[in-house]
Amino acid sequence: MMNLLKPLDEMPLVELTPQLIAGLRDQIAEQHGRRQANYVMAVISVACEHGKEHGIVRENPVKGVKRVRRSRSAPAANRPWTIEECRTVLTELPYQLRVPVALAMFTGLRKGDVLALKKNAIRDGRIWRKTNKTGQEVSIPIHPDLARILAGSPHHNAITVAATTNATPWTESGFNSSFIKAMATLKRSGRIGDGLTFHGLRHTVGTLLIEAGYDIDTVRRWLGQKTLAMAIHYSESADTSQRMREVITKLDPLGSKSRT
């Protein structure tokens, strides 16, 4: 984000107005997409809040400037993976990518938590982690399939569970580059569908938990969410057809069942 803002380095702060922010937002959105534009605005906002605290700027010019909204016609972001895609990716990826993908696939942990997970966080058959984003403590039982993948991966001396081929902890940028290339190869061969992202594995776990009959609060606790709203977000694509069939047996708008 700072690299995108490099052209503003010599600009006087007095020229940093809401109108300039809006124009910058639109330019970056056109060139780099909606998410990049909104991230840039967030970075400027954090910098200006710091400036207000220290008397460098009077106001935060980002306040009141709208973020770029996602088009309703755009495909769902970070969609859940299908069972076939999960199997394919775990089969095809090299071990250094397979381990972090498997950790996310069987736990729902975010990418940052997966890459930072230390070996000593796995004990007593569980994964223990204080999540980076929400600070929530999670204790997740290790799925037998995940245990087999971890046991079958080459030993390395890195302090983290996931490591590069050089036995060093992954950086997020390094992992992103390798993961994106590997997924693009699978996509070109027709082995996986469009829109498969690492964060989609979090949606996958939420979806599977709901489909298995667990309630939203259980999903919230498993995913380390503070609110039910985010748990609902991560499980909203679940197939609840069976539950709906049960509902229809009790739904009685006309009071027909009370008359029989």
Side-chain angles (χ1 to χ4, degrees):
M1 301 307 109
M2 294 302 292
N3 287 339
L4 290 175
L5 292 168
K6 194 73 174 175
L8 304 185
D9 275 359
E10 303 301 322
M11 188 186 74
L13 291 176
V14 69
E15 296 180 14
L16 201 60
T17 63
Q19 291 75 23
L20 183 138
I21 298 296
L24 183 66
R25 172 202 63 196
D26 296 343
Q27 179 183 349
I28 293 176
E30 182 178 352
Q31 296 176 353
H32 302 281
R34 176 187 69 88
R35 288 173 61 84
Q36 293 282 74
N38 290 340
Y39 276 135
V40 164
M41 289 179 63
V43 169
I44 297 175
S45 182
V46 169
C48 288
E49 288 298 324
H50 172 81
K52 282 179 61 178
E53 290 181 354
H54 295 274
I56 300 171
V57 295
R58 290 184 177 181
E59 299 295 336
N60 182 348
V62 181
K63 292 289 180 67
V65 180
K66 295 180 179 179
R67 300 301 196 262
V68 183
R69 296 184 118 186
R70 186 171 172 273
S71 171
R72 292 185 178 181
S73 61
N78 302 311
R79 67 165 177 86
W81 297 26
T82 66
I83 291 177
E84 291 74 17
E85 287 170 333
C86 288
R87 291 171 177 168
T88 295
V89 171
L90 287 184
T91 300
E92 298 293 334
L93 289 184
Y95 76 89
Q96 69 271 18
L97 294 176
R98 186 186 309 127
V99 169
V101 167
L103 284 168
M105 188 179 294
F106 290 99
T107 67
L109 287 172
R110 296 180 183 86
K111 185 194 306 175
D113 290 314
V114 165
L115 299 182
L117 189 70
K118 295 182 179 180
K119 291 176 179 176
N120 61 12
I122 298 181
R123 57 187 185 274
D124 303 325
R126 306 176 77 87
I127 292 175
W128 304 79
R129 177 72 184 174
K130 184 175 182 179
T131 60
N132 290 334
K133 185 172 183 179
T134 64
Q136 297 290 99
E137 296 276 1
V138 296
S139 172
I140 302 174
I142 298 178
H143 191 282
D145 289 337
L146 175 58
R148 283 192 287 271
I149 291 170
L150 295 179
S153 298
H155 174 76
H156 60 79
N157 294 322
I159 63 172
T160 51
V161 179
T164 67
T165 52
N166 295 323
T168 57
W170 279 104
T171 63
E172 190 155 339
S173 60
F175 177 80
N176 287 345
S177 177
S178 297
F179 177 77
I180 290 171
K181 290 177 183 176
M183 299 303 278
T185 299
L186 292 175
K187 174 65 176 62
R188 285 194 298 271
S189 67
R191 304 294 305 280
I192 60 174
D194 291 323
L196 223 58
T197 66
F198 191 91
H199 197 68
L201 289 168
R202 191 162 169 82
H203 289 256
T204 304
V205 172
T207 297
L208 291 175
L209 290 175
I210 290 294
E211 290 179 348
Y214 293 102
D215 58 46
I216 290 296
D217 190 57
T218 300
V219 175
R220 177 187 71 82
R221 293 174 186 276
W222 183 283
L223 296 178
Q225 294 292 346
K226 287 186 175 181
T227 66
L228 291 176
M230 285 308 299
I232 293 171
H233 169 69
Y234 284 115
S235 56
E236 61 186 1
S237 60
D239 180 4
T240 56
S241 55
Q242 178 58 41
R243 191 181 307 173
M244 295 307 103
R245 282 193 289 270
E246 295 171 359
V247 169
I248 201 63
T249 64
K250 298 180 181 179
L251 184 65
D252 189 20
L254 301 179
S256 301
K257 294 175 184 177
S258 64
R259 296 197 299 269
T260 58

